[in-house]
Amino acid sequence: MTTRYCSLAQQPAPEFAPGLAAERRGALIGGSRMWVNGTVLHYYFFDADNAAATDTSVIPVPGTGERRRVPWAGAKEQQDVVRECFREWRGLGIGVDFAEVGDRSEAELRIGFQPGDGSWSAVGRDALAIGLSDRTMNFGWDLTAPGQRGTALHEIGHALGMLHEHQSPFAGIHWDDEAVYAELAGPPNFWSRDRTRFNVLRRLDPDEVNGSVWDPQSIMEYPFASGLILEPEEYRTGLHPHGSLSPCDKEFVLRWYPPVGPPRPAGLVPFRSAPLRLGPGEQADFAIEPTQTREYAVGSFGDSDTVVVVFEERDGEPRFLAGQDDGGTPHNATLKVRLVKGRRYFVRVRLYSTWGSGETAVMCW
């Protein structure tokens, strides 16, 4: 039987201001989906015990022309596999941590288990553009079945910003295109030609890829049956990754997310803005009421150069507390500031330049 594959949603190509230097463009593309190192990524499971009426969606029944409504909730056994895989990624010693939360509004990663909808994930910070009531990741088949644990490791890799390894321009794969289309059109995937092209045959821009070499044993590599790959010759009989984290996977995430010292307290997200769309020079203000007195990181995340400033409210008026303009180099601004429990603060985010889509979100952790 054909392997079931992860299917990423198609995204429009990023737009940049005319005349942007190639080096700058490459840096923006390469890092645009990666989290700021030191981030705690909070994840939430859609669960039958606390399900909302909207925690379902209608999906097609392959081969019938019919549609059915299916809930997103997952059983504890499925959730436990994903928890174990978060721990495995964390165990590499990376600078990003993971914490489970029971409130979906506090979660950057919201995980469903809808059968029939495939397995997929938003890539890195693309998750911030998804509504707080929606999934950023789904598992469409039984993760407890033999060999399926790798699916959870794979989707978490996407959540960290990793892309499909077989689409690397350094792989040198020459496909039998029509054989691939035919293989993926049938069960259990039932993919259209467009979906197959986007997730398999399309070659990534060198600025997008996870490294400068192809790793056929990466957790981000699909297995492929015999007869789909024409070159390299050694893979004509099939490509069979181990389904576990490879040394290159570890090297990649440690390069982007090096260790940052003792882990910061989990579950502290006193504020997160909804995704914004701002024009050049436009700004938006948001209130923060910290749950603890300590140093927080405040930052903007998205497809724009931004300025972030923090004000403290005193006698009903905002008083400047801290600010940073990273507009010239990184395309997101992040600063450290000490906030006091019981006081009220404002975060102001202002669009700095015209490149990108203007979409951003503000977080405090």
Side-chain angles (χ1 to χ4, degrees), residues 270-332:
F271 168 77
R272 170 188 164 181
S273 79
L276 307 170
R277 188 172 182 88
L278 302 175
E282 292 182 344
Q283 65 186 35
D285 293 353
F286 304 93
I288 292 180
E289 296 180 356
T291 57
Q292 294 185 12
T293 298
R294 64 175 179 86
E295 185 178 64
Y296 289 84
V298 181
S300 66
F301 304 89
D303 291 332
S304 305
D305 283 325
T306 50
V307 179
V308 168
V309 182
V310 178
F311 300 87
E312 181 179 358
E313 184 180 62
R314 288 291 182 92
D315 300 322
E317 297 292 330
R319 187 181 74 177
F320 174 83
L321 187 64
Q324 180 171 326
D325 178 357
D326 278 339
T329 307
H331 68 290
N332 295 289

Side-chain angles (χ1 to χ4, degrees), residues 1-305:
M1 184 179 72
T2 303
T3 301
R4 289 173 290 195
Y5 292 137
C6 159
S7 172
L8 297 183
Q10 296 193 35
Q11 298 287 345
E15 298 180 3
F16 299 99
L20 189 69
E23 182 178 349
R24 169 75 164 145
R25 177 182 178 276
L28 294 175
I29 293 176
S32 63
R33 287 167 156 172
M34 309 307 290
W35 302 95
V36 172
N37 198 38
T39 297
V40 178
L41 291 176
H42 302 81
Y43 63 91
Y44 168 85
F45 291 123
F46 288 95
D47 188 277
D49 291 338
N50 54 11
T54 55
D55 293 348
T56 66
S57 55
V58 176
I59 59 175
V61 180
T64 68
E66 299 178 354
R67 301 177 69 84
R68 61 191 177 110
R69 182 170 293 278
V70 183
W72 300 342
K76 180 180 182 300
E77 294 78 10
Q78 305 296 317
Q79 297 176 10
D80 284 346
V81 175
V82 182
R83 291 184 180 103
E84 291 173 4
C85 290
F86 275 119
R87 287 194 290 269
E88 184 167 343
W89 277 105
R90 179 195 293 129
L92 298 179
I94 61 177
V96 170
D97 201 0
F98 307 102
E100 184 175 349
V101 294
D103 184 342
R104 67 185 69 185
S105 69
E106 294 183 352
E108 295 81 33
L109 311 179
R110 295 174 297 282
I111 303 168
F113 299 84
Q114 184 182 49
D117 195 32
S119 292
W120 49 264
S121 173
V123 178
R125 287 204 318 265
D126 286 354
L128 295 177
I130 298 174
L132 294 179
S133 295
D134 292 332
R135 295 166 294 169
T136 69
M137 185 183 298
N138 188 74
F139 295 102
W141 50 79
D142 183 6
L143 298 178
T144 66
Q148 293 305 320
R149 186 174 181 275
T151 299
L153 290 171
H154 180 102
E155 301 308 340
I156 295 171
H158 283 316
L160 288 169
M162 301 176 75
L163 296 170
H164 287 143
E165 190 70 13
H166 52 271
Q167 294 182 272
S168 168
F170 306 111
I173 297 178
H174 180 198
W175 300 97
D176 183 334
D177 290 8
E178 291 305 318
V180 174
Y181 284 130
E183 180 84 354
L184 274 294
N189 295 290
F190 300 102
W191 281 6
S192 67
R193 290 176 71 91
D194 281 347
R195 179 170 289 191
T196 298
R197 182 199 61 80
F198 185 81
N199 283 281
V200 179
L201 300 178
R202 179 181 64 101
R203 185 169 294 179
L204 297 172
D205 187 293
D207 292 327
E208 295 180 88
V209 298
N210 300 333
S212 59
V213 296
W214 174 43
D215 175 18
Q217 295 304 323
S218 171
I219 193 62
M220 307 312 294
E221 176 60 74
Y222 286 174
F224 290 102
S226 174
L228 304 182
I229 296 174
L230 300 177
E231 300 290 342
E233 185 175 355
E234 64 186 292
Y235 296 109
R236 290 183 182 179
T237 57
L239 177 57
H240 306 287
H242 299 314
S244 56
L245 300 182
S246 73
C248 286
D249 292 332
K250 179 176 181 178
E251 179 184 349
F252 169 75
V253 291
L254 286 174
R255 184 168 68 249
W256 275 105
Y257 306 120
V260 294
R264 64 186 78 233
L268 297 176
V269 190
F271 168 77
R272 170 188 164 181
S273 79
L276 307 170
R277 188 172 182 88
L278 302 175
E282 292 182 344
Q283 65 186 35
D285 293 353
F286 304 93
I288 292 180
E289 296 180 356
T291 57
Q292 294 185 12
T293 298
R294 64 175 179 86
E295 185 178 64
Y296 289 84
V298 181
S300 66
F301 304 89
D303 291 332
S304 305
D305 283 325

